Amino acid sequence: MAKTAEFPLSERIRSRMKALNLSYADVASACNVTEVSVRNWTKDANRMASMYLRPLADVLKCSIDYLCGATDRIGKPDARATA
């Protein structure tokens, strides 16, 4: 298995928000949470419930594996690669 970069979830969220020019409000709306929650996620101030990973990955246009640090590949996995 390839070694991935040591970037915490908070850093990956900030990086994707910046790349996509998304505000805290944009992400909060997509995840149905408050802006304060998103700010806390980007500061490692609290843990995120797993139920928010899918909507977060969707709005950040990346995979859950990327957010969690399992891969450095930003895009969603190719379905053909797992078949």
Side-chain angles (χ1 to χ4, degrees):
M1 178 163 46
K3 182 173 172 37
T4 60
E6 298 296 322
F7 294 114
L9 174 65
S10 59
E11 192 169 323
R12 289 178 182 242
I13 294 170
R14 285 192 309 269
S15 173
R16 293 302 298 154
M17 286 176 66
K18 184 176 180 178
L20 297 170
N21 199 28
L22 295 173
S23 68
Y24 291 108
D26 295 330
V27 176
S29 177
C31 295
N32 199 28
V33 297
T34 66
E35 287 182 49
V36 171
S37 291
V38 176
R39 286 181 193 277
N40 286 337
W41 297 344
T42 64
K43 295 178 184 176
D44 276 335
N46 65 357
R47 292 184 182 205
M48 176 193 316
S50 61
M51 65 187 269
Y52 298 116
L53 284 172
R54 171 54 48 216
L56 183 61
D58 288 345
V59 72
L60 296 179
K61 298 184 184 343
C62 64
S63 68
I64 292 173
D65 283 347
Y66 172 78
L67 287 176
C68 295
T71 183
D72 286 334
R73 184 167 179 244
I74 292 172
K76 298 189 184 269
D78 186 348
R80 293 171 292 168
T82 59

